[in-house]
Amino acid sequence: MDHVSRRSCYAYESPIRKLMKYANQAKKNGIEVFHLNIGQPDVPSPVNPREVLSDWKSDHLPYGKSEGEESMQEAFLAYYENWDVHLESDDILVTTGASEALLFSLFVTMDQGDDLIVQEPFYANYNGISQMAGVNIQSVYTPFEDGFPIPSMTDFEKVLTPRSKAVLLCNPNNPTGKVYTREMLLQLAEFILKHDLYLIVDEVYREFCYESEFYSVLRMDHIQDRVIVLDSISKRYNACGARIGCIVTRNATVREMILKYAQLRLSPPVLGQKYAEKAINPSQEFMQNMMDIYRARRVYVMDRLKKIQGIILNEPEGAFYIFAQLPVDDSELFCKWLLTDFQIDGKTVMLAPGNGFYATEGLGKNQVRLAYVLDLPHLVVALDCLEEGLKCYPYSSINQESSVAQ
Amino acid sequence: MDHVSRRSCYAYESPIRKLMKYANQAKKNGIEVFHLNIGQPDVPSPVNPREVLSDWKSDHLPYGKSEGEESMQEAFLAYYENWDVHLESDDILVTTGASEALLFSLFVTMDQGDDLIVQEPFYANYNGISQMAGVNIQSVYTPFEDGFPIPSMTDFEKVLTPRSKAVLLCNPNNPTGKVYTREMLLQLAEFILKHDLYLIVDEVYREFCYESEFYSVLRMDHIQDRVIVLDSISKRYNACGARIGCIVTRNATVREMILKYAQLRLSPPVLGQKYAEKAINPSQEFMQNMMDIYRARRVYVMDRLKKIQGIILNEPEGAFYIFAQLPVDDSELFCKWLLTDFQIDGKTVMLAPGNGFYATEGLGKNQVRLAYVLDLPHLVVALDCLEEGLKCYPYSSINQESSVAQ
């Protein structure tokens, strides 16, 4: 029996993980793969998992509360206070990562067939999670050449339909690295109010702003009844495996509805919450040290990429990604080729093809996302592989021997 | 702004957790609440969470693999070998509990608007999870009086539609405690084959069979291409908070499609998997001891309930629930009343109203599910509360002072 649902056949594959089988095969063949494809940082966490369960009291591991443990909600509360965001613990619903936070938010704000407005390019999994919720993405294209600014009211209005229910934004942006200012967000708020929409903002990269202060939509008092923030401890504390995030909203009706979905999956992971409670409010030194690491990587990767013939990039202001144009026609084929047909001294690099970060077919085909989540010596080798790969790739426009017109 | 999606307004609330706010209020008022509403066991786990991370190697907590850690898949493999089920590790996809396992299975086998056949009553959250997946439950009613046998081929065929894609079964059954024999399952397999359906079986209570051997659908060779088993470590090791389960299927196409959804949520909880790996294959002594505990509870609860005037029950053969009829018209009101208006010496009991275990409106209104997951001294008090509660409840037919005709 091999008939499965149509929706699963058409389900978006994560561009970040879809080439993993080729990476696994390369590793089996003895090749070392440098992962710039995935936002999986390598810096130490504020606490070591070894240490977090030493005060576990019970002889078993019961369900937690569906909305998250009270102690976890309190820890998030203290965290947001540091960002000048004043919440009640009820405003926080703990989730199994920001992915679940998005899925629940879509279920509650939108019905099947409703439209979700998203600036394009966007975090690839928004495609798949929207499909799970049965909602359509109405994308507002922002050109690579312009540096991915927030779209104007006019541009947003062009995609608006009677079924538009919400705008989804990622700030700082994955994959573009754009950081949206208070002024840009005020302009967006005007659009939200004018057309009676929800504003869902994914702020998981809040800490990662290199050139300006971060401004949270949770501070815009006049639209709090329509603001839903998605958050996660994964990136900022290098704790992706904990699977702990949250939904923050001051809208009590939205919270009440989200709780129904939260109860269906019983509770968020309890051990992950124990870990998160201890990791979530580290010392200033820890955060400064971590940011220094990322600053150095960012500078190195940008400088290096600028020197590689044929690569064009926008300087990212935040997060830890660079979205770049390569001198190839089809970056997915190139990324696959790097894993299946290329190596320098037994090493290669894995990137995330750009097309997966768009909803519109055909866009982003010469683009890739790189995550600068390795230490400097590893980044050097990874970018050596990229540079050499572009020279050797038969279909690259900088390959002198290429017989294919680009 | 208070308009939310229609689907969230109509979303099924878990009957197991929906009265929790009243329980929380009772606790705030100083009342001790005995929870027979939720399948949250109290026996010790095979390992203590304190001990499972002592050999953690890394200084951070990275994502796991979307299909689960290899070591976790291997641990499941060894577990199934003990049940005479021989699998490859690829056959196992680790999930965030059996709830996620069901959601993914529905996404892959069914499109929006397709029909899922389920025997009624059934585990309440099947309602909500089916709604999340946008599929309709076609329920096959089995009468309380008959002891909830597996429906006949004719009964199944009565609800069959052109959009029926799968049968979902829970064995041993939550809430009825029914255990399905090999012969019953063969009869069901015939129906599955005749109408080209998938068979999704929730086997999370596999260990909890008191009167007969458990027989897994994974042993029915002739239908393996259409069998999907949902599993979880929660109940058998008292590890509900780990949120670790799995999907088992030998159908490679189904696995490939499920992996897409698994990649969207990145990975199952990593700390929960560390815990599960160490808990999943305990000593025979551990399991025997645990089962002795449940056997004693089951006998006590059944004997006690039979002596309470007006209660009717079917003797459960498996799991750790009793589905009983009470001498009340509306058990949800009674369950709420127990939390808001009743106490003996500062104690009361919480039960799960029966109507939530049906899809058909109006069914199960005089029924409740009790989970015998407390130790004997606590069960004694909990059932004292139930007995006394029924006597005091103004709308109970055994309340002599009741002025309301029942």
Side-chain angles (χ1 to χ4, degrees):
Chain A
M1 174 130 147
D2 59 0
H3 54 255
V4 289
S5 65
R6 284 188 304 281
R7 63 176 158 189
S8 66
C9 296
Y10 291 116
Y12 291 89
E13 281 186 278
S14 163
I16 299 149
R17 294 189 173 225
K18 74 193 283 195
L19 300 178
M20 206 64 93
K21 60 187 167 199
Y22 302 109
N24 290 338
Q25 189 54 50
K27 288 174 193 173
K28 276 185 191 154
N29 299 341
I31 292 174
E32 191 177 359
V33 179
F34 289 79
H35 287 276
L36 302 188
N37 59 305
I38 189 163
Q40 163 59 68
D42 67 331
V43 297
S45 294
V47 289
N48 190 295
R50 250 196 324 273
E51 293 155 21
V52 296
L53 298 179
S54 54
D55 58 350
W56 184 266
K57 297 283 189 300
S58 168
D59 61 5
H60 59 279
L61 178 46
Y63 284 126
K65 298 175 79 170
S66 299
E67 62 270 34
E69 301 305 282
E70 273 172 47
S71 47
M72 184 77 251
Q73 291 175 309
E74 294 294 327
F76 270 118
L77 216 62
Y79 167 82
Y80 287 110
E81 281 293 328
N82 289 332
W83 286 94
D84 230 358
V85 171
H86 312 295
L87 301 165
E88 310 282 326
S89 50
D90 279 355
D91 300 338
I92 293 161
L93 292 147
V94 182
T95 58
T96 311
S99 311
E100 185 183 79
L102 175 57
L103 185 66
F104 288 174
S105 299
L106 297 182
F107 274 127
V108 168
T109 56
M110 310 179 74
D111 279 300
Q112 274 171 19
D114 279 347
D115 293 331
L116 174 68
I117 300 174
V118 194
Q119 176 180 9
E120 191 176 40
F122 51 79
Y123 172 50
N125 283 356
Y126 294 167
N127 269 324
I129 295 172
S130 300
Q131 197 221 33
M132 283 178 84
V135 306
N136 308 311
I137 285 187
Q138 300 292 319
S139 55
V140 185
Y141 174 62
T142 46
F144 189 95
E145 297 70 34
D146 298 353
F148 311 114
I150 216 164
S152 67
M153 174 94 82
T154 323
D155 286 337
F156 272 127
E157 284 179 345
K158 275 184 199 149
V159 303
L160 197 77
T161 75
R163 298 203 64 172
S164 302
K165 295 290 167 63
V167 171
L168 170 61
L169 188 77
C170 182
N171 183 28
N173 193 279
N174 171 10
T176 67
K178 189 75 189 169
V179 174
Y180 304 106
T181 61
R182 180 166 176 273
E183 288 61 41
M184 291 175 182
L185 293 169
L186 279 172
Q187 177 192 316
L188 178 57
E190 212 178 308
F191 172 70
I192 292 290
L193 285 169
K194 181 173 168 191
H195 297 289
D196 202 19
L197 303 170
Y198 280 100
L199 176 58
I200 305 171
V201 186
D202 174 348
E203 296 189 352
V204 308
Y205 297 98
R206 188 183 293 119
E207 275 76 4
F208 301 89
C209 289
Y210 304 103
E211 314 210 315
S212 56
E213 289 261 300
F214 171 74
Y215 185 81
S216 172
V217 286
L218 290 169
R219 294 175 64 192
M220 297 169 72
D221 290 341
H222 67 303
I223 56 163
Q224 282 313 299
D225 59 335
R226 47 191 80 229
V227 162
I228 299 172
V229 161
L230 317 176
D231 210 345
S232 163
I233 67 155
S234 292
K235 308 296 176 176
R236 62 185 73 121
Y237 309 124
N238 198 359
C240 305
R243 312 306 307 121
I244 296 299
C246 69
I247 293 170
V248 186
T249 181
R250 293 178 172 104
N251 183 317
T253 312
V254 169
R255 287 200 309 260
E256 188 189 329
M257 296 298 137
I258 284 175
L259 188 59
K260 291 187 188 180
Y261 293 100
Q263 289 186 340
L264 282 176
R265 59 79 164 114
L266 308 169
S267 80
V270 169
L271 298 182
Q273 286 182 87
K274 279 298 275 185
Y275 176 85
E277 282 174 32
K278 296 192 183 182
I280 196 175
N281 290 304
S283 66
Q284 277 207 325
E285 290 69 31
F286 173 87
M287 292 307 290
Q288 272 168 10
N289 183 40
M290 188 183 80
M291 290 311 294
D292 287 346
I293 292 172
Y294 281 108
R295 275 176 214 283
R297 292 174 179 182
R298 171 172 171 267
V299 170
Y300 170 73
V301 176
M302 286 201 309
D303 287 354
R304 180 74 194 273
L305 288 175
K306 284 179 194 165
K307 288 178 193 146
I308 299 179
Q309 195 192 343
I311 291 187
I312 303 168
L313 62 114
N314 290 294
E315 294 200 4
E317 303 157 325
F320 42 55
Y321 304 104
I322 291 182
F323 207 59
Q325 273 187 16
L326 301 186
V328 300
D329 269 358
D330 187 327
S331 64
E332 183 166 335
L333 288 179
F334 173 64
C335 292
K336 179 168 172 259
W337 176 88
L338 283 171
L339 298 167
T340 54
D341 289 88
F342 174 78
Q343 54 156 305
I344 324 175
D345 303 332
K347 299 181 176 65
T348 192
V349 63
M350 184 167 179
L351 309 169
N355 57 350
F357 296 87
Y358 289 84
T360 309
E361 187 71 28
L363 290 179
K365 285 195 77 169
N366 63 348
Q367 297 166 21
V368 288
R369 190 194 72 171
L370 299 87
Y372 43 98
V373 290
L374 304 181
D375 63 17
L376 279 175
H378 286 90
L379 282 177
V380 171
V381 183
L383 294 175
D384 286 348
C385 291
L386 173 58
E387 180 163 18
E388 200 56 32
L390 283 172
K391 284 184 195 155
C392 301
Y393 184 56
Y395 308 102
S396 151
S397 61
I398 63 160
N399 180 342
Q400 300 299 317
E401 292 163 23
S402 168
S403 57
V404 181
Q406 296 289 314
Chain B
M1 174 130 148
D2 59 1
H3 55 256
V4 289
S5 65
R6 284 189 304 281
R7 63 176 157 188
S8 66
C9 296
Y10 291 116
Y12 291 89
E13 280 186 279
S14 162
I16 299 149
R17 293 188 174 227
K18 74 193 285 194
L19 299 178
M20 205 65 91
K21 61 187 166 199
Y22 303 110
N24 290 339
Q25 190 54 50
K27 288 173 193 175
K28 276 185 191 154
N29 298 341
I31 292 173
E32 191 177 0
V33 179
F34 290 78
H35 287 276
L36 302 188
N37 59 305
I38 189 163
Q40 161 61 70
D42 66 331
V43 296
S45 294
V47 288
N48 191 295
R50 252 196 323 274
E51 294 154 21
V52 296
L53 298 178
S54 55
D55 58 351
W56 185 266
K57 295 285 189 299
S58 169
D59 62 4
H60 57 280
L61 178 47
Y63 284 126
K65 298 175 79 170
S66 299
E67 62 271 35
E69 301 305 283
E70 273 172 46
S71 47
M72 184 77 252
Q73 290 174 309
E74 294 294 327
F76 270 118
L77 217 61
Y79 166 82
Y80 287 110
E81 281 293 328
N82 289 333
W83 286 94
D84 229 359
V85 172
H86 312 294
L87 301 165
E88 310 282 324
S89 49
D90 278 356
D91 300 338
I92 293 160
L93 292 146
V94 182
T95 57
T96 310
S99 312
E100 185 184 78
L102 175 57
L103 185 66
F104 288 175
S105 300
L106 297 182
F107 274 127
V108 168
T109 56
M110 310 180 73
D111 280 300
Q112 275 171 18
D114 280 347
D115 292 331
L116 174 68
I117 300 174
V118 194
Q119 177 180 8
E120 192 175 40
F122 51 78
Y123 172 49
N125 283 356
Y126 294 167
N127 269 325
I129 294 172
S130 299
Q131 197 222 33
M132 283 178 84
V135 306
N136 309 311
I137 285 187
Q138 301 291 320
S139 56
V140 185
Y141 174 61
T142 45
F144 188 96
E145 295 71 31
D146 297 355
F148 310 113
I150 217 165
S152 68
M153 174 93 80
T154 321
D155 286 337
F156 271 126
E157 284 178 345
K158 275 184 199 150
V159 303
L160 196 77
T161 75
R163 299 203 64 171
S164 302
K165 294 291 167 62
V167 171
L168 170 61
L169 189 76
C170 182
N171 183 29
N173 193 279
N174 170 10
T176 67
K178 189 77 190 169
V179 174
Y180 304 106
T181 62
R182 180 166 176 272
E183 288 61 41
M184 292 176 183
L185 293 168
L186 279 171
Q187 176 193 317
L188 178 57
E190 210 178 311
F191 172 69
I192 293 291
L193 285 168
K194 181 172 169 191
H195 297 289
D196 201 19
L197 303 170
Y198 280 100
L199 176 58
I200 305 171
V201 186
D202 175 347
E203 295 189 352
V204 308
Y205 296 98
R206 188 184 292 119
E207 276 75 4
F208 300 88
C209 288
Y210 305 102
E211 313 212 316
S212 56
E213 289 262 301
F214 171 74
Y215 185 80
S216 171
V217 286
L218 290 168
R219 294 174 65 190
M220 296 168 73
D221 289 341
H222 68 303
I223 56 163
Q224 281 313 298
D225 60 334
R226 47 191 79 231
V227 161
I228 299 173
V229 161
L230 317 176
D231 210 347
S232 164
I233 68 155
S234 293
K235 308 297 177 176
R236 62 185 74 122
Y237 309 124
N238 197 358
C240 304
R243 311 306 308 123
I244 296 299
C246 70
I247 293 169
V248 186
T249 180
R250 294 178 171 103
N251 183 317
T253 311
V254 168
R255 287 198 309 260
E256 190 188 328
M257 295 299 137
I258 284 174
L259 188 58
K260 291 188 189 181
Y261 294 100
Q263 290 186 340
L264 282 176
R265 59 77 163 117
L266 307 168
S267 79
V270 170
L271 298 182
Q273 287 181 85
K274 279 298 275 185
Y275 176 84
E277 282 174 32
K278 296 193 183 181
I280 196 175
N281 290 304
S283 66
Q284 277 208 325
E285 289 69 31
F286 174 88
M287 293 307 290
Q288 272 168 10
N289 184 39
M290 188 183 79
M291 290 311 295
D292 287 346
I293 292 172
Y294 281 108
R295 275 177 214 283
R297 291 173 179 184
R298 173 173 170 267
V299 169
Y300 171 73
V301 176
M302 286 200 309
D303 286 354
R304 180 74 194 272
L305 288 176
K306 283 180 194 164
K307 286 178 194 147
I308 298 179
Q309 195 193 343
I311 291 187
I312 303 169
L313 62 114
N314 290 294
E315 293 201 4
E317 302 158 324
F320 43 57
Y321 303 104
I322 290 181
F323 207 60
Q325 274 186 14
L326 300 187
V328 300
D329 267 358
D330 186 327
S331 64
E332 184 166 333
L333 288 180
F334 174 63
C335 292
K336 179 167 170 264
W337 176 87
L338 283 172
L339 297 168
T340 54
D341 290 88
F342 174 78
Q343 53 156 305
I344 323 177
D345 302 332
K347 299 180 176 66
T348 191
V349 63
M350 184 167 178
L351 309 170
N355 58 350
F357 297 86
Y358 290 84
T360 309
E361 187 70 30
L363 290 179
K365 285 195 76 170
N366 62 348
Q367 297 165 20
V368 288
R369 190 193 74 171
L370 298 87
Y372 43 98
V373 291
L374 304 181
D375 62 18
L376 279 175
H378 286 90
L379 282 176
V380 171
V381 184
L383 294 174
D384 285 348
C385 291
L386 173 59
E387 180 163 18
E388 200 56 31
L390 283 172
K391 282 185 197 155
C392 301
Y393 185 56
Y395 308 103
S396 152
S397 62
I398 63 159
N399 179 341
Q400 300 300 317
E401 292 162 24
S402 168
S403 58
V404 180
Q406 295 288 315

